[in-house]
């Protein structure tokens, strides 16, 4: 059993001191250390330092030595114990120590050295943290509070949202007074928030109203609950987040504008993974409104790119353009009636410093259609100008010739007494007058067709009857090719405009006679199909070269410019046939004759 007087036992005294005490110095009247128990280990005072026989003040920095010297003198004179903290700066760091000085006897002082570096550093850090917290609270408008549920009162410290200032001392605010400044729609939420006895971390946002000031947005957080004087006290803090809410509201507004913009907008990572698509982009690419896009790839889900290689090539172009590229996209979106888009691609870094590729597509379909319409109008105007020039040139020649003949022979007839000559000249006048009349008729016919004034009247007609009438219209002549009508024996009744069909066939027959020698033949007939009749005029004349077969139906075009005529005959035929919902074409080889074919609906009732 341990001796009850162990603390008084000199045998254990050194051990007790070693366990309970820091470094001890015993110094004489000259401040020289005469004995020491050293437990300290710093660059100045340690077991490796020769302390015995050394003036202790010479070991310490001058500023510290001067302060301790004063305390040595005071202690010797008064006998009072000195208890102060001191700094011990060294080359590596500053140490802190508590130095207790006791008057041991008339000639000696007992000094107790206690290292408090760790405690001082912790205290300094806590003090700095507290100061930083206070300063941050001022700037961030953070206030701490405790709510006493029984009194229904807050104890505020820090920033007060109610007073709009930082409190130097705690202030008590009744809940009723606070509620008066809270938005009416949020009062019940605040009341329930602070009076709830649920022990858990929770947060609430509410609004405060101040005269002549914008609405203030407050975020309150309760984090602890404890009992004080038999009542529940809730601890929490509040922060004025008006600036944050303003920025958030503006951001939400911008996002809403982007989401509902009439342009297709999408964003993706450099590997093609989608990060954002707005409403228009979803609609164009058939993505549902609620579909999560985080796992989708742009070159698999959107029409912009068909493969990963195409996406990587596009990404290279954007980066080569300093992160901004404008281009035209002709990808059609039939569901949206889009035929083309004007696009912009740009690189913007996100909050993590990662490159995000944004692509904006603006529908320019109306502009494209307008440009196409302008181009067609321009081409039509140019064609019209060409036709006008050709018309003037042609008419100048075609009208001048018969007019000259009419005027010339008119004067000759007036001066000729011979009846035979007068008759011959009269026939010449008639021929040229007929040519002039035909010229004017063709021009008027073409003009009416272009203006849509040509009328068609469909009625049941006999195809045999048409060909019988044609055979009577063309009398045989030695100086013209022989004309044959290939009429099938079976009677066929068709709904057609008889007069227009006759007009076209007569024009084609006359055309063939001009280019077929007198020893040649012309065959006229028709073939029956399921719902159509195909007329043909076939000759063995000079034929038409391949490169001219499409041109012969153009207005004012003539294979041989020296031939008489306006160049409107075949163009008029084409116009009539097309307005009768039919087709006209030619089959020919140069030197081997030509066959003109006309295919018309056999029941053309809706003309």
């Amino acid at each position: 059993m341990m001796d009850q007087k162990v603390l008084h036992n000199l045998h254990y005294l050194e051990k007790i001191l070693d366990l309970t005490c820091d470094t001890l110095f015993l110094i004489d009247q000259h401040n020289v250390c005469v004995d020491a128990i050293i437990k300290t280990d710093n660059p100045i005072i340690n077991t490796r330092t020769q302390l015995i026989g050394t003036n202790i003040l010479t070991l310490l920095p001058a500023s510290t030595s001067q302060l301790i010297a004063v305390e040595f003198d005071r202690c010797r004179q008064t006998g009072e114990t000195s208890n102060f903290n001191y700094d011990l700066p060294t080359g590596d760091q500053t140490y802190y120590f508590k130095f207790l000085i006791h008057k041991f006897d008339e000639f000696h002082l007992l000094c107790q050295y206690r290292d408090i570096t760790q405690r001082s550093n912790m205290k300094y850090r806590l003090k700095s943290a507290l100061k930083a917290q206070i300063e941050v609270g001022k700037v961030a408008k953070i206030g701490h509070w405790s709510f006493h549920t029984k009194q229904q009162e807050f104890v505020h410290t820090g920033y007060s949202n109610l007073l709009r200032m930082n409190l130097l001392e705690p202030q008590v605010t009744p809940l009723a007074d606070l509620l008066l400044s809270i938005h009416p729609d949020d009062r019940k939420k605040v009341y329930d928030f602070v009076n709830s006895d649920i022990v858990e971390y929770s947060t609430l946002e509410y609004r405060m109203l101040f005269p002549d000031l914008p609405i203030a947005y407050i975020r309150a957080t309760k984090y602890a609950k404890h009992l004080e004087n038999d009542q529940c006290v809730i601890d929490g803090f509040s922060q004025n987040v008006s600036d944050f809410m303003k920025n958030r509201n503006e951001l939400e507004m911008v996002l809403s504008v982007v989401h509902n913009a009439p342009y297709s907008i999408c964003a993706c990572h450099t590997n093609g993974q989608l990060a954002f698509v707005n409403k228009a982009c979803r609609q164009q690419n058939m993505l549902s409104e609620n579909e999560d896009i985080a796992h989708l790839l742009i070159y698999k889900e959107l029409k912009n790119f068909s493969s990963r290689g195409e996406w990587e090539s596009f990404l290279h172009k954007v980066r080569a353009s300093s992160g901004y590229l404008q281009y035209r996209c002709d990808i059609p979106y039939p569901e949206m009636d889009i035929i083309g888009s004007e696009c912009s691609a740009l690189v913007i870094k996100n909050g993590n410093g990662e490159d995000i590729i944004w692509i904006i597509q603006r529908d320019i379909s109306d502009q494209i259609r307008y440009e196409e319409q302008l181009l067609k109008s321009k081409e039509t105007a140019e064609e019209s100008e060409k036709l006008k020039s050709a018309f003037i040139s042609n008419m100048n020649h075609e009208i001048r010739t018969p007019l000259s003949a009419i005027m010339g022979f008119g004067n000759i007839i007036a001066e000729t007494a011979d009846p035979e000559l007068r008759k011959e000249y009269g026939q010449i006048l008639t021929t040229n007058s007929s040519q002039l009349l035909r010229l004017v008729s063709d021009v008027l016919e073409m003009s009416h067709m272009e203006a849509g004034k040509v009328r068609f009247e469909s009625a049941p007609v006999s195809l045999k009857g048409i060909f019988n009438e044609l055979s009577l219209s063309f009398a045989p002549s030695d100086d013209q090719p022989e004309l044959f009508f290939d009429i099938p024996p079976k009677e066929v009744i068709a709904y057609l405009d008889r007069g227009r069909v006759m007009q076209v066939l007569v024009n084609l027959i006359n055309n063939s006679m001009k280019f077929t020698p007198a020893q040649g033949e012309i065959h006229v007939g028709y073939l029956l199909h399921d719902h159509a009749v195909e007329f043909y005029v076939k000759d063995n004349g000079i034929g038409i070269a391949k490169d001219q077969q499409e041109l012969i139906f153009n207005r004012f075009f003539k294979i041989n410019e020296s031939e008489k005529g306006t160049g409107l005959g075949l163009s008029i035929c084409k116009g009539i046939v097309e307005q009768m919902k039919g087709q006209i074409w030619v089959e020919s080889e140069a030197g081997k004759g030509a066959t003109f074919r006309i295919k018309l609906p056999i029941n053309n009732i809706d003309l």
Side-chain angles (χ1 to χ4, degrees), residues 243-526:
D243 292 341
F244 171 78
M245 292 299 295
K246 178 183 177 182
N247 293 336
R248 188 175 77 176
N249 291 340
E250 290 177 352
L251 178 60
E252 289 177 350
M253 180 178 67
V254 171
L255 286 176
S256 178
V257 170
V258 173
H259 181 69
N260 295 286
Y263 310 138
S264 171
I265 303 175
C266 69
C268 64
H269 302 272
T270 53
N271 63 356
Q273 183 179 0
L274 286 170
F276 173 83
V277 290
N278 74 340
K279 186 176 180 180
C281 185
R282 286 179 181 271
Q283 291 175 345
Q284 288 185 14
N285 294 279
M286 309 301 289
L287 294 174
S288 65
E289 188 69 24
N290 299 321
E291 185 171 359
D292 182 16
I293 62 161
H295 63 286
L296 301 181
L297 297 172
I298 189 171
Y299 51 81
K300 288 188 176 180
E301 302 299 330
L302 305 190
K303 294 183 179 180
N304 305 57
F305 310 98
S306 59
S307 65
R308 180 175 179 178
E310 188 177 348
W311 160 251
E312 291 177 349
S313 176
F314 173 79
L315 183 61
H316 176 74
K317 289 181 182 178
V318 176
R319 284 177 166 166
S321 302
S322 302
Y324 181 74
L325 179 66
Q326 281 189 308
Y327 59 98
R328 175 87 165 260
C329 176
D330 295 326
I331 298 175
Y333 299 89
E335 300 82 2
M336 309 295 293
D337 195 28
I338 296 175
I339 60 175
S341 306
E342 183 180 67
C343 304
S344 298
L346 57 158
V347 181
I348 298 178
K349 291 187 180 296
N350 63 9
N352 298 324
E354 179 187 4
D355 286 347
I356 301 296
I357 315 302
W358 286 81
I359 300 174
I360 304 171
Q361 291 183 219
R362 183 174 67 89
D363 178 16
I364 57 171
S365 301
D366 291 341
Q367 178 182 334
I368 294 174
R369 293 186 181 101
Y370 180 67
E371 289 174 353
E372 291 175 350
Q373 184 178 355
L374 284 180
L375 182 60
K376 289 180 180 177
S377 298
K378 179 176 178 292
E379 292 174 350
T380 301
E382 291 175 348
E383 181 65 21
S384 177
E385 187 64 27
K386 291 179 181 178
L387 292 175
K388 179 182 176 181
S389 299
F391 174 78
I392 293 173
S393 175
N394 204 333
M395 291 303 100
N396 181 49
H397 176 269
E398 297 297 331
I399 294 176
R400 185 187 299 272
T401 301
L403 280 179
S404 298
I406 293 170
M407 292 176 62
F409 284 99
N411 292 329
I412 294 175
I413 288 176
E415 298 174 357
T416 301
D418 187 346
E420 291 298 328
L421 287 176
R422 289 174 64 88
K423 181 179 180 180
E424 182 182 346
Y425 295 156
Q427 289 177 346
I428 294 174
L429 285 174
T430 300
T431 301
N432 283 275
S433 297
S434 298
Q435 182 181 346
L436 186 59
L437 179 60
R438 185 173 63 254
L439 176 63
V440 173
S441 297
D442 286 350
V443 172
L444 289 175
E445 183 80 17
M446 180 59 68
S447 176
H448 287 163
M449 291 183 62
E450 291 180 348
K453 295 180 179 180
V454 178
R455 298 182 62 184
F456 293 86
E457 295 181 0
S458 181
V461 295
S462 167
L463 296 186
K464 277 189 174 183
I466 291 177
F467 282 89
N468 288 332
E469 185 173 343
L470 284 174
S471 64
L472 297 175
S473 301
F474 292 92
S477 175
D478 294 336
D479 58 352
Q480 288 185 341
E482 191 172 357
L483 185 61
F484 297 93
F485 289 92
D486 305 329
I487 306 173
K490 184 179 178 181
E491 176 64 277
V492 176
I493 303 298
Y495 279 86
L496 297 169
D497 187 321
R498 185 176 183 280
R500 293 298 178 181
V501 173
M502 290 281 291
Q503 180 182 353
V504 171
L505 291 175
V506 168
N507 204 329
L508 293 179
I509 293 170
N510 286 330
N511 191 69
S512 290
M513 286 184 172
K514 283 197 296 185
F515 299 102
T516 304
Q519 299 79 19
E521 296 180 356
I522 299 175
H523 289 263
V524 183
Y526 67 88

Side-chain angles (χ1 to χ4, degrees), residues 551-571:
L551 301 175
I552 60 173
F553 294 103
N554 293 344
R555 287 173 289 180
F556 308 116
F557 180 82
K558 293 192 291 187
I559 295 176
N560 187 349
E561 290 296 333
S562 63
E563 289 289 336
K564 293 183 179 181
T566 61
L568 293 174
L570 291 178
S571 179

Side-chain angles (χ1 to χ4, degrees), residues 212-225:
D212 303 325
L213 290 175
I215 292 177
Y217 293 86
I218 312 300
R219 179 178 294 143
T221 302
K222 58 181 182 181
Y223 58 85
K225 183 181 77 168

